[in-house]
Amino acid sequence: MDRKISENFLGGDPHEAGMPMDYFIWLAKSDSKIRVTDTDFNQQAADKREREFLRCPTEGLKLLGVDATTVEDVIITHLHYDHVGNFDLFPQAQFYLQDSEMAYATGRHMTNPFFAHAFEEDEVVAMVRNVYKGRVSFYDGDEQLADNISVHHVGGHTKGLQVVRVWTQKGWMVLASDASHYAANMNEGRPFPIVVDVSQMIDGWDKMKRLADDPAVMSLFQAPSPELEGIAVRLDVCDAEGVCPPGWKNNIVDPQDNLQGNQSD
Ligand SMILES: [Zn+2]
């Protein structure tokens, strides 16, 4: 999605250059377990909100050898339309959500368009129906799902936003989701304008730095194969020559590298 720089930082930006936005889901795969984080959005939502729809995320998963219809665990970082838009394509899944996110998405703040804009009423209602079917597991704060993966409440962008910490070959990694839409939001201390609590958002950056580092995505990591160039990246490996992505070793990211940012509404 094309966006102006000024749309991505609270208080705007003196530069009026473009700063496009990418939309992601994440796959965490071990020898014994597959977990997906977030489900992105579909063509209908893209048309309605004037985003370019590149591909259904379940097609992206298929390219990585994962059939969405068999996935049993889906972590939902928050209930914005671009993070829960395809959850009907995961018919076997249990969804993992913070108590505070469901309360936020069904409570008083949704009477105000400023907060409600990035939610889709039908998707929130559908998730409520999943609650009654026993298909939602709730957390309140931080929770270890297994030895190698945990969720952590951050808030800020929404009341119940959670980030995901994953153990990889390179150590602990944090999937920030919209806790920092772009690497620059966090690294330069400039909040994204879709926010319910700025202090929680800023505290969240510190929390993520304590949990792990390295927030940029497509510009820092390698595709798992040439066919997946620009579609998917592996977060846990350096390239074939053993050369690591820029900023990898010391976790200091050049701001110029951040202009191809990482997230969504
Ligand atoms: Zn969001």
Side-chain angles (χ1 to χ4, degrees), residues 78 80 82-83 118 157-158 161 178 181 194 263-265:
H78 61 305
H80 277 167
D82 51 327
H83 295 261
H157 172 64
T158 64
L161 175 77
D178 289 358
H181 287 68
I194 299 176
Q263 258 289 310
S264 51
D265 284 19

Side-chain angles (χ1 to χ4, degrees), residues 158-175:
T158 64
K159 289 262 189 191
L161 175 77
Q162 59 184 351
V163 300
V164 185
R165 187 194 202 205
V166 186
W167 178 254
T168 74
Q169 297 176 57
K170 299 291 293 181
W172 286 112
M173 177 167 297
V174 171
L175 306 175

